[in-house]
Amino acid sequence: MDKAIEVRNLKRVYRRLREPPFVAVDNMNFDVYEGEIFGLLGPNGAGKTTVIKILSTLLYPTEGFVRVGGFDVYRDVESIRSIINLVTGGEVAGYGILTVKESLWMFSQFYGIETKEALRRIEKYLKIVDMWDSRDTFLNKLSTGMVQRINLVRGLITDPKILFLDEPTLGLDVEGGRIVREIIKTWIGEREGRTVLLTTHYMAEADELCDRIAIINRGKLVACDTPENLKASISQDKYFEITVPYSKDLREEFLTNINGKVSIRDFPENGESLISLSLGEDKEIANFITILTQRGLEIKTFRKVEPTLEDVFIKLVGRKFEDEEAR
Ligand SMILES: Nc1ncnc2c1ncn2[C@@H]1O[C@H](COP(=O)(O)OP(=O)(O)OP(=O)(O)O)[C@@H](O)[C@H]1O
Ligand SMILES: [Mg+2]
């Protein structure tokens, strides 16, 4: 697979007034392949925006080697800018005195797209994001969710090879976030050779949307893999939760006949017991179910508990994701 982005030994230091220099990105290495949705996942201040600014030629690296679409971010700024676009979540989509359509047309002209073609793309993507009916609305009359969708369209109409999205669902409600993620997936699947690099601090979003994720923390890359591999990497054990009718006399049998760890919590007020199992292999669960059935115990609920990216972060970084802000 061709590399869309190459990052080697990337370092970025911010010089500050009356304070020591701050290392926002420290010796980072990763590749993004053509056709991928690649996510930079990290808490506030991790360095995500700094990386995306470097990749989109808004900021020079302090050290390291970075190539975007095969071009060097120091020497080939113009070439990179012609094949990318950048959309930042929460930014203003243009000028309030312009309508949605006028604003998008204006941005298309910055990229030298012929008007007829620009209008064709504007119509196409406004329809995809369900905003065609709002095409003549002034930008300052739009809701946050609408602004975010228009921002995204602005990124799509220039038909970039590589699209950078900095927090594309920032501030959106559940439905708004879902729509934006759907658009990103549709766009990448529409034609071969398109690549998306996005940043997010929403774990579930990275999990659902990204082919691969780089988890970053305090300027350092702590892991880079598919969401599945990241989750599988933290534990070989398989977790299950089963609720059964409350019964006091089963424990001994559970604890002795099962090849794995079993813990039971009773909720007599609900008439239920919750059994948590940690098993070496998925198939071990069959033995357990057999014991329950032989005893005539009804299984009220059954759930396989998958690790989340939050668990991955805790395991790799040693603390919870939200705690990171205060450093
Ligand atoms: N111009 C600057 N001068 C000094 N420090 C900066 C500058 N820009 C960013 N920083 C610092 O660098 C660190 C990384 O910032 P960055 O914006 O890249 O993080 P982020 O991961 O995008 O965070 P967020 O989730 O809040 O957007 C932060 O601690 C920030 O305070
Ligand atoms: Mg940021």
Side-chain angles (χ1 to χ4, degrees):
M1 251 192 293
D2 287 341
K3 285 177 189 170
I5 297 168
E6 264 182 279
V7 174
R8 290 288 171 281
N9 308 319
L10 175 63
K11 185 170 183 178
R12 172 69 209 198
V13 180
Y14 288 116
R15 315 235 160 260
R16 300 181 295 182
L17 266 181
R18 285 183 287 279
E19 278 184 280
F22 181 80
V23 182
V25 176
D26 196 4
N27 194 27
M28 208 175 269
N29 291 280
F30 63 89
D31 290 327
V32 179
Y33 298 101
E34 232 177 75
E36 275 192 314
I37 301 181
F38 186 91
L40 294 178
L41 173 69
N44 291 131
K48 305 179 294 293
T49 298
T50 303
V51 173
I52 221 166
K53 277 185 175 167
I54 292 169
L55 296 175
S56 55
T57 73
L58 295 179
L59 203 65
Y60 279 127
T62 308
E63 282 173 30
F65 166 84
V66 179
R67 272 228 267 239
V68 175
F71 300 112
D72 185 292
V73 291
Y74 279 108
R75 288 178 291 136
D76 308 320
V77 171
E78 292 306 317
S79 308
I80 292 177
R81 288 187 183 176
S82 68
I83 58 159
I84 64 164
N85 208 334
L86 163 69
V87 175
T88 301
E91 73 184 309
V92 185
Y95 302 99
I97 52 162
L98 297 181
T99 66
V100 166
K101 204 168 149 191
E102 288 167 346
S103 171
L104 291 170
W105 176 80
M106 181 187 76
F107 280 110
S108 75
Q109 296 313 291
F110 295 163
Y111 282 75
I113 302 166
E114 201 216 326
T115 290
K116 204 166 142 223
E117 175 62 15
L119 293 177
R120 193 189 65 77
R121 292 184 196 173
I122 290 168
E123 179 171 347
K124 173 181 165 181
Y125 285 112
L126 281 180
K127 284 180 175 166
I128 289 178
V129 304
D130 204 14
M131 290 282 295
W132 180 239
D133 291 345
S134 305
R135 62 190 178 279
D136 296 322
T137 307
F138 288 103
L139 285 177
N140 55 13
K141 298 282 185 296
L142 300 178
S143 71
T144 309
M146 288 169 149
V147 168
Q148 212 86 307
R149 278 185 268 166
I150 295 303
N151 275 333
L152 200 55
V153 171
R154 203 198 72 212
L156 303 180
I157 53 168
T158 64
D159 194 20
K161 258 177 84 73
I162 303 171
L163 178 62
F164 294 106
L165 302 170
D166 194 3
E167 306 272 358
T169 61
L170 191 73
L172 294 185
D173 61 18
V174 174
E175 179 62 4
R178 194 192 60 75
I179 293 172
V180 165
R181 286 191 292 277
E182 280 308 312
I183 299 163
I184 296 169
K185 283 191 228 169
T186 309
W187 185 78
I188 199 116
E190 210 176 45
R191 186 177 321 149
E192 255 179 54
R194 287 177 171 170
T195 306
V196 172
L197 181 140
L198 62 90
T199 74
T200 182
H201 62 272
Y202 301 122
M203 304 240 179
E205 172 159 296
D207 198 350
E208 183 206 314
L209 191 58
C210 299
D211 298 306
R212 285 192 309 134
I213 298 170
I215 298 183
I216 63 175
N217 182 54
R218 299 183 180 181
K220 290 202 161 75
L221 191 148
V222 290
C224 181
D225 212 326
T226 62
E228 294 71 32
N229 286 349
L230 287 170
K231 288 182 280 183
S233 71
I234 58 162
S235 164
Q236 299 309 314
D237 287 346
K238 313 290 175 198
Y239 300 97
F240 296 89
E241 281 183 358
I242 302 175
T243 46
V244 295
Y246 175 62
S247 158
K248 262 206 148 350
D249 44 84
L250 281 172
R251 1 256 79 188
E252 277 303 302
E253 194 160 2
F254 287 157
L255 300 175
T256 48
N257 284 346
I258 286 299
N259 190 5
K261 282 188 220 124
V262 186
S263 71
I264 304 171
R265 276 164 65 207
D266 293 319
F267 299 93
E269 64 283 10
N270 303 337
E272 283 178 359
S273 296
L274 173 70
I275 307 170
S276 303
L277 296 152
S278 163
L279 306 174
E281 282 183 283
D282 269 340
K283 62 181 187 209
E284 285 283 338
I285 193 67
N287 297 335
F288 194 77
I289 302 283
T290 308
I291 296 175
L292 291 181
T293 337
Q294 281 168 354
R295 288 304 205 112
L297 259 191
E298 176 201 359
I299 295 173
K300 294 180 114 181
T301 65
F302 177 90
R303 189 164 81 93
K304 182 163 188 212
V305 185
E306 302 284 358
T308 63
L309 289 176
E310 175 87 44
D311 300 324
V312 177
F313 190 85
I314 292 171
K315 173 97 177 213
L316 293 173
V317 174
R319 70 183 87 74
K320 284 176 82 170
F321 204 74
E322 310 90 70
D323 300 343
E324 275 302 305
E325 228 169 315
R327 63 157 150 157

